[in-house]
């Protein structure tokens, strides 16, 4: 198979994607993304091309058009089966047609069929989608233009109708990207993982700005943008006028309202951590986890980074909690038959198993281990916290999300997407349905700080008892469109959508009061909003509101006992009315003005997936629609994983065939690996080596009346605070356990001990800084 992201000719010669142009328009916390892709048929015969490409999981496609020569074809949203039938009829009769549809299995994958391109003919495809921008740990809003669609592992028993895929090497494209930002808040800065031209402000208040990606960018990795506002935690309410052509009383005809809620957690709440819980870590051990984290020379393997992260997690857990670790691939296994009490013995046993973990479990089937976990009874007074690590290559995303949602009241789910191309539908969906938090580890990101941040979320109090009350003049009514929000963690933001119905002859303003509790303390925010919004706003908020309703209906449709046919009808009606994509609709465009029908055999191209520019393209398969011709198929055999008892749980103590992990290279991880479950360190040669000392040098400096473990633990704390403060988010819980243990020992001469430790290590750290 040719390692190429473009169309492949019958002779395995590339038919290139000519250019990618993207326009990003940001309004407060949401964005509209317009992508224009130029293709050409360099075959000697008419061509049908099939492209499969990634979009963010919560995106909604709202426009799809194609320009061939001077003729522009604007697609319409229709029932999916009807659209497919029209497309097939058009292509079979030689007409030019275009079909864009959401994947049956996952909402972050779309398929584009381009039919009847004559030899030498060019096609310009424009796709517009809208999206909520995610919030990062430093309060930035993140936009990502994915360069990769990872293969989705499909068990043989479920392979019908799912395209075959295979990975290929990175093929960069040149990309143009322009960004425009409008906000009710002052724009602080805009950063990117790729080179940008200088940010240009278009008003004195710094609420309107533009920036472009520096010319010549090679699209060999995700393009990430990070937008910072000055008052990011300030709640906001934005009202958008309805479409003048839409009937009054409809979602698209009435004004729509978007509330942003991003609570700020005070320092005393941030430092308040729970000491109870059941922590279950679920780690992807499929073959794809044996890939590098990024393309740099010093990149770790994904599974290696996961092992290091599990070491930090295991050392950071509070004494007396419960825990277990699962590995999954084509089958799954757990370290213990059920969660066990965290102690020195169980921690050491788990660490021994972690060291031998490999990416050796075949394909990726996460559904069965989740079913097994949910079948286990919860421990009273120990809230279940699920941490899931995967590179996102699963095929049955919607089924997984339904399962997580059914168990939302018995656990929280924290998910981590590893590497570029991890499914945003899976990662963000599991966190959303499990009232948890999602993190993505891409590029040169380290996994450990992001995971430890989520552990802090799991241990911290959360915002709950959230209520929304409206104050509007007589004749006006507000209908909530968003699902109710149960919980918000530190670092999470909620966007709430509503429809404003009716009219008032008097007051032109309304108010919304948002109340919630944080650590049993009530918080109230009241926001004013206009009832007469400005016209011509692009309908971004309306369409995101419609998308929110559609996603809720799709979950309702898949629920047991649902009136599926009636719910499906409501989904199609709203999707067509709002002009946004759904699981049951598709965009269909037919060039009915094309006077000359295409004659001759029509080649179909399914394009190989590679980490590519905007559309990832599917596997090299040449077929003929009009009349028979020879088939040549060359599938990458590495993608066909063996099936091994996919619903079984394997527990084995035989580790004779496991390869021993390499010694830890990171000094922080070396130090952490030596800590006991109680939080202390023992005085020995291994600990001294971390400090760059001999055991005698460390022992001889110890005050006689100070216990060896107290001395060792104080030294470890001094070393962390003095030399590794930049990694504090990774070792924060390790240090808290250590300080708590030192305090519990009530040692004499502690001040002298800290003074001697500073002298030995050549630094100046105070007792207050150490927390002892």
């Amino acid at each position: 198979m040719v390692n190429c992201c473009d169309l492949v000719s019958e002779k395995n010669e590339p038919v290139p994607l000519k250019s990618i142009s993207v326009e990003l328009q940001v309004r407060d916390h949401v964005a509209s993304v317009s992508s224009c892709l130029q293709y050409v048929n360099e075959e000697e015969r008419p061509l049908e091309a099939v492209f499969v490409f990634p979009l963010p999981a919560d995106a909604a496609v709202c426009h799809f058009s194609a320009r061939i020569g001077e003729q522009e074809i604007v697609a319409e949203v229709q029932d999916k089966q009807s659209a497919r039938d029209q497309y097939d009829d058009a292509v079979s009769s030689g007409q030019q047609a275009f079909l864009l549809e959401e994947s049956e299995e996952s909402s972050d994958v779309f398929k584009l069929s381009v039919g009847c391109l004559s030899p030498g003919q060019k096609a310009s495809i424009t796709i517009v989608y809208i999206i909520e921008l995610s919030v990062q740990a430093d309060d930035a809003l993140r936009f990502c233009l994915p360069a990769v669609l990872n293969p989705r592992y499909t068990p043989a028993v479920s392979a019908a109708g799912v395209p075959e895929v295979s990975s290929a090497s990175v093929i960069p494209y040149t990309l143009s990207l322009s960004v425009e930002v409008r906000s009710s808040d002052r724009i602080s800065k805009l950063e990117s993982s790729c080179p940008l031209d200088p940010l240009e402000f278009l008003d004195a208040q710094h609420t309107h700005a533009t920036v472009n990606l520096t010319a010549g960018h090679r699209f060999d990795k995700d393009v990430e943008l990070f937008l910072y506002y000055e008052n990011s935690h300030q709640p906001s309410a934005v009202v958008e006028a309805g479409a003048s052509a839409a009937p009054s009383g409809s979602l698209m005809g009435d004004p729509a309202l978007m509330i942003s809620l991003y609570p700020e957690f005070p320092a005393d709440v941030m430092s308040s951590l729970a000491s109870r819980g059941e922590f279950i870590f679920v780690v992807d051990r499929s073959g794809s986890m044996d890939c590098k984290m990024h393309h740099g020379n010093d990149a770790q393997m994904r599974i290696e980074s996961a092992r290091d992260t599990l070491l930090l997690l295991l050392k950071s857990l509070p004494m007396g909690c419960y825990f277990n670790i699962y590995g999954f691939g084509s089958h799954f296994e757990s370290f213990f038959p059920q969660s066990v009490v965290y102690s020195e013995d169980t921690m050491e046993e788990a660490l021994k198993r972690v060291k031998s973990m490999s990416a050796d479990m075949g394909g990726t089937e996460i559904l069965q281990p989740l079913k097994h976990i949910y079948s286990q009874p919860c421990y009273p007074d120990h809230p279940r916290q699920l941490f899931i690590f995967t590179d996102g290559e699963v095929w049955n995303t919607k089924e997984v999300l339904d399962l997580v949602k059914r168990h939302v009241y018995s656990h929280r789910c924290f998910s981590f997407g590893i590497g570029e191309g991890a499914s945003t539908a899976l990662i963000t969906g599991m966190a959303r349905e499990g009232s948890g938090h999602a993190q993505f580890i891409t590029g040169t990101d380290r996994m450990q700080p992001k995971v430890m941040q989520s552990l802090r979320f799991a241990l911290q109090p959360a915002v709950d008892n959230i209520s929304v009350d409206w104050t509007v003049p007589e004749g006006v009514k507000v209908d909530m469109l968003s699902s109710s929000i149960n919980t918000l963690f530190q670092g999470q933001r909620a966007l709430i959508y509503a429809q404003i119905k009716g009219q008032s002859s008097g007051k032109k303003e309304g108010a919304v009061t948002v109340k919630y509790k944080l650590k049993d303390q009530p918080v109230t925010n009241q926001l004013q909003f206009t009832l007469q919004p400005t016209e011509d706003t692009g309908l971004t908020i309306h369409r995101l509101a419609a998308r929110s309703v559609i996603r809720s209906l799709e979950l309702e449709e898949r629920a047991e006992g649902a009136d599926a046919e009636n719910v499906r009808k409501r989904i199609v009606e709203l999707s067509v009315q709002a002009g946004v994509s759904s699981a049951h609709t598709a965009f269909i465009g037919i060039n009915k003005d094309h006077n000359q029908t295409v004659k001759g055999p029509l080649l179909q191209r399914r394009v190989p997936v590679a980490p590519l520019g905007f559309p990832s393209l599917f596997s090299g398969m040449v077929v003929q629609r009009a009349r028979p011709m020879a088939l040549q198929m060359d599938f990458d055999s590495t993608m066909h994983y063996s099936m091994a008892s996919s619903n079984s749980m394997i527990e084995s103590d035989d580790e004779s065939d496991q390869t021993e992990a390499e010694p830890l290279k990171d000094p922080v991880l070396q130090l952490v690996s030596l800590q006991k479950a109680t939080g202390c360190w023992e005085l020995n040669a291994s600990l001294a080596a971390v400090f760059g000392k001999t055991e005698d040098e460390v022992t001889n400096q110890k005050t006689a009346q100070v216990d060896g473990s107290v001395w060792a633990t104080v030294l470890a704390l001094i070393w962390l605070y003095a030399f590794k403060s930049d990694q504090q988010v990774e070792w924060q819980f390790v240090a808290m356990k250590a300080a708590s243990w030192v305090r519990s020992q009530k040692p004499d001469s502690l001040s002298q001990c800290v003074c001697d430790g500073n002298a030995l290590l050549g630094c100046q750290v105070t007792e207050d800084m150490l927390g002892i």
Side-chain angles (χ1 to χ4, degrees):
M1 178 177 288
V2 176
N3 285 346
C4 160
C5 317
D6 308 302
L7 292 173
V8 195
S9 72
E10 193 173 10
K11 299 177 182 179
N12 277 341
E13 295 172 348
V15 182
L17 166 67
K18 292 297 185 182
S19 67
I20 306 169
S21 175
V22 179
E23 294 181 2
L24 173 66
Q25 292 186 320
V26 177
R27 186 179 181 198
D28 288 277
H29 293 261
V30 299
S32 172
V33 186
S34 177
S35 299
C36 184
L37 306 104
Q38 303 279 350
Y39 298 103
V40 64
N41 177 16
E42 294 181 353
E43 300 272 2
E44 296 177 355
R45 283 183 279 179
L47 177 76
E48 180 191 16
V50 179
F51 305 86
V52 176
F53 57 88
L55 285 180
D58 293 326
V61 176
C62 59
H63 174 87
F64 169 46
S65 62
R67 178 175 291 277
I68 300 177
E70 297 301 314
Q71 181 69 37
E72 183 177 26
I73 308 160
V74 179
E76 299 176 347
V77 180
Q78 296 188 16
D79 177 88
K80 183 178 284 188
Q81 190 55 55
S82 173
R84 287 172 173 172
D85 292 343
Q86 291 181 58
Y87 175 83
D88 287 341
D89 291 345
V91 171
S92 297
S93 62
Q95 288 183 296
Q96 291 168 340
F98 303 84
L99 181 70
L100 179 69
E101 55 186 316
E102 181 182 305
S103 163
E104 301 283 356
E105 288 76 32
S106 182
S107 61
D108 66 342
V109 178
F110 279 74
K111 183 172 78 171
L112 167 62
S113 303
V114 181
C116 281
L117 283 183
S118 301
Q121 196 166 46
K122 297 178 181 179
S124 173
I125 307 294
T126 299
I127 297 171
V128 180
Y129 66 89
I130 49 179
I131 186 173
E132 298 174 356
L133 299 177
S134 61
V135 180
Q136 304 302 290
D138 60 355
D139 301 333
L141 295 178
R142 175 181 179 263
F143 168 75
C144 179
L145 188 67
V148 180
L149 172 65
N150 274 349
R152 300 292 197 263
Y153 171 73
T154 307
V157 295
S158 304
V162 179
E164 292 284 346
V165 298
S166 72
S167 295
S169 59
V170 172
I171 307 293
Y173 289 98
T174 301
L175 166 76
S176 68
L177 171 66
S178 64
V179 182
E180 181 180 13
V181 182
R182 292 178 183 269
S183 172
S184 54
D185 191 6
R186 188 178 175 90
I187 301 165
S188 176
K189 60 181 177 178
L190 195 151
E191 298 177 344
S192 176
S193 58
C194 306
L196 295 177
D197 291 342
L199 183 67
E200 182 180 352
F201 289 102
L202 303 182
D203 66 348
Q205 294 76 33
H206 285 200
T207 59
H208 186 194
T210 61
V211 70
N212 295 316
L213 192 66
T214 301
H217 172 70
R218 306 301 293 177
F219 200 4
D220 56 352
K221 62 180 179 180
D222 290 356
V223 175
E224 292 181 294
L225 297 174
F226 300 95
L227 173 62
Y228 296 82
Y229 293 136
E230 283 196 0
N231 302 298
S232 55
H233 288 282
Q234 183 68 35
S236 64
V238 180
V239 182
E240 181 179 76
S244 57
S248 178
S250 67
L251 190 154
M252 300 305 291
D254 288 338
L257 173 67
M258 178 181 71
I259 301 169
S260 170
L261 182 61
Y262 183 37
E264 187 167 17
F265 283 51
D268 62 322
V269 174
M270 295 285 286
S271 61
S272 173
L273 301 175
S275 59
R276 292 174 176 266
E278 179 192 13
F279 300 88
I280 302 177
F281 307 110
V282 184
V283 182
D284 189 341
R285 290 178 55 185
S286 63
S288 55
M289 287 290 286
D290 208 26
C291 297
K292 288 187 174 183
M293 292 290 292
H294 56 86
H295 304 305
N297 295 329
D298 59 343
Q300 277 188 307
M301 294 299 181
R302 295 174 183 175
I303 192 66
E304 184 183 355
S305 184
R307 284 198 301 262
D308 289 350
T309 303
L310 283 172
L311 165 64
L312 268 178
L313 284 166
L314 285 171
K315 294 290 186 175
S316 299
L317 293 179
M319 288 292 288
C321 71
Y322 289 79
F323 80 101
N324 204 350
I325 298 176
Y326 284 71
F328 71 92
S330 301
H331 53 279
F332 69 89
E333 64 182 38
S334 64
F335 283 16
F336 307 100
Q338 59 271 328
S339 295
V340 295
V341 175
Y342 179 75
S343 66
E344 186 66 33
D345 289 341
T346 55
M347 183 194 74
E348 287 297 334
E349 183 178 347
L351 285 172
K352 182 180 178 183
R353 298 284 295 271
V354 165
K355 289 177 182 177
S356 61
M357 283 178 60
S358 301
D360 57 0
M361 295 181 72
T364 311
E365 291 190 61
I366 195 173
L367 192 64
Q368 294 305 321
L370 287 179
K371 284 182 176 179
H372 182 268
I373 290 167
Y374 293 141
S375 72
Q376 301 283 316
C378 294
Y379 292 93
D381 301 320
H382 286 272
R384 178 171 286 172
Q385 314 274 10
L386 200 58
F387 287 69
I388 299 177
F389 304 83
T390 179
D391 50 13
E393 301 177 0
V394 302
W395 62 281
N396 53 347
T397 302
K398 293 179 180 178
E399 194 174 355
V400 172
L401 300 189
D402 289 348
L403 179 65
V404 174
K405 185 177 179 66
R406 286 201 299 273
H407 295 272
V408 65
Y409 296 111
S410 64
H411 84 300
R412 290 191 296 187
C413 182
F414 297 85
S415 52
F416 305 89
I418 304 171
E420 294 177 344
S423 167
T424 57
L426 179 71
I427 304 305
T428 62
M430 285 191 296
R432 181 183 63 247
E433 304 304 344
S435 293
H437 190 73
Q439 299 264 28
F440 289 88
I441 299 102
T442 59
T444 56
D445 290 346
R446 283 170 53 82
M447 188 185 300
Q448 291 86 346
K450 294 197 172 186
V451 174
M452 301 312 291
Q453 180 191 56
S454 288
L455 178 60
R456 176 172 277 278
F457 293 163
L459 294 172
Q460 280 175 342
V463 164
D464 56 16
N465 288 13
I466 302 170
S467 67
V468 179
D469 297 307
W470 307 94
T471 303
V472 290
E474 188 176 350
V476 177
K477 178 186 175 185
V478 178
D479 279 355
M480 287 277 287
L481 300 174
S482 302
S483 301
S484 58
I485 303 166
N486 299 317
T487 310
L488 279 179
F489 301 108
Q490 192 276 329
Q492 277 190 308
R493 177 216 56 206
L495 294 180
I496 302 169
Y497 298 100
Q499 179 180 350
I500 302 175
K501 295 183 174 181
Q503 288 185 337
S504 169
S505 57
K507 287 185 64 177
K508 305 301 182 186
E509 279 198 343
V512 57
T513 303
V514 182
K515 297 179 180 179
Y516 56 84
K517 283 190 175 181
L518 179 55
K519 203 179 177 184
D520 295 324
Q521 295 298 312
V523 179
T524 300
N525 289 292
Q526 187 172 67
L527 305 170
Q528 305 293 322
F529 58 87
T530 179
L531 296 174
Q532 293 184 327
T534 55
E535 302 292 333
D536 191 25
T537 51
L539 298 175
T540 300
I541 293 174
H542 280 77
R543 287 177 171 138
L544 283 170
R547 188 283 318 269
S548 175
V549 176
I550 287 170
R551 290 289 182 250
S552 296
L553 288 171
E554 288 172 350
L555 283 170
E556 180 183 332
E557 179 192 20
R558 297 195 298 272
E560 292 182 17
D563 183 357
E565 187 57 38
N566 185 49
V567 176
R568 183 188 183 281
K569 182 180 177 182
R570 290 166 61 194
I571 292 171
V572 172
E573 287 177 353
L574 182 54
S575 177
V576 171
Q577 179 195 135
V580 297
S581 53
S582 75
H584 296 304
T585 54
F587 283 83
I588 174 71
I590 300 173
N591 188 359
K592 297 177 181 177
D593 296 330
H594 188 55
N595 295 324
Q596 185 176 0
T597 57
V598 178
K599 298 179 180 179
L602 177 65
L603 298 177
Q604 186 185 68
R605 294 288 182 257
R606 292 178 184 255
V607 188
V609 164
L612 85 158
F614 182 71
S616 296
L617 309 173
F618 265 74
S619 62
M621 177 177 173
V622 180
V623 299
Q624 175 179 322
R625 186 186 283 266
R627 52 174 171 266
M629 63 182 290
L631 291 182
Q632 179 132 21
M633 305 178 75
D634 179 20
F635 295 118
D636 186 346
S637 61
T638 61
M639 287 306 300
H640 295 273
Y641 298 105
S642 61
M643 290 290 293
S645 58
S646 62
N647 61 346
S648 65
M649 179 178 68
I650 299 176
E651 297 170 36
S652 171
D653 294 325
D654 180 13
E655 297 174 358
S656 58
D657 59 342
Q658 302 279 12
T659 56
E660 189 69 24
E662 292 183 8
L664 295 166
K665 300 174 184 177
D666 186 339
V668 170
L669 291 177
Q670 289 178 7
L671 180 72
V672 170
S673 69
L674 299 172
Q675 189 187 33
K676 298 296 182 181
T678 55
C680 72
W681 277 268
E682 292 182 347
L683 187 56
N684 54 37
S686 297
L687 180 68
V690 174
F691 306 145
K693 307 288 183 182
T694 65
E695 185 175 4
D696 285 344
E697 285 178 304
V698 174
T699 303
N700 293 338
Q701 196 74 19
K702 181 179 77 70
T703 305
Q705 61 268 37
V706 174
D707 175 77
S709 292
V710 171
W711 172 237
T713 304
V714 169
L715 285 177
L717 285 170
I718 291 173
W719 185 84
L720 286 170
Y721 280 98
F723 302 111
K724 297 297 175 182
S725 59
D726 59 328
Q727 292 177 242
Q728 186 170 354
V729 69
E730 300 179 38
W731 50 259
Q732 56 183 320
F733 297 109
V734 166
M736 289 169 63
K737 283 174 69 174
S740 178
W741 180 86
V742 170
R743 292 194 302 269
S744 71
Q745 301 303 301
K746 298 181 174 60
D748 295 328
S749 306
L750 187 56
S751 298
Q752 186 60 45
C753 185
V754 173
C755 183
D756 293 342
N758 279 320
L760 175 66
L761 299 178
C763 48
Q764 294 180 331
V765 178
T766 65
E767 287 181 60
D768 288 342
M769 186 182 295
L770 300 179
I772 58 176

